[in-house]
Amino acid sequence: MSAHTPGGWRFHPPTGIVAEDGTVVASVYYTAGTPGKCERVANARLIAAAPVMLKALEDLVSAVESPDSASLTELRAARAAIAKAKGTQ
């Protein structure tokens, strides 16, 4: 898997998802009044948050790997989310 564009990302209408250095990470196409616009904007915001969510999950896994601090189910779910985000599942 190749590395992703480093965060932070932000949703910048009408351009799409933009990295801190101005690189366009993803385009989001819509026009005012277009059916599905709200869904596309919500998806764009979720995509823009991906690097932050990935970092949070990685930090969570690191913090809770001691046997007494988290249930195995929660730890497995966090690991699965990290693998999915990284494309390594």
Side-chain angles (χ1 to χ4, degrees):
M1 178 189 105
S2 58
H4 65 275
T5 303
W9 298 349
R10 61 184 164 70
F11 175 50
H12 185 271
T15 306
I17 313 301
V18 181
E20 288 178 351
D21 67 1
T23 302
V24 177
V25 177
S27 296
V28 178
Y29 297 101
Y30 63 85
T31 57
T34 302
K37 176 184 175 188
C38 292
E39 181 178 3
R40 291 178 186 169
V41 169
N43 290 341
R45 289 189 177 131
L46 180 60
I47 293 165
V52 173
M53 292 187 296
L54 176 59
K55 174 81 169 90
L57 284 170
E58 289 173 332
D59 291 347
L60 174 65
V61 168
S62 293
V64 299
E65 286 197 310
S66 69
D68 297 330
S69 58
S71 78
L72 287 177
T73 301
E74 292 164 337
L75 189 56
R76 285 184 186 127
R79 284 188 176 144
I82 292 169
K84 185 173 182 177
K86 288 184 171 181
T88 59
Q89 66 182 61

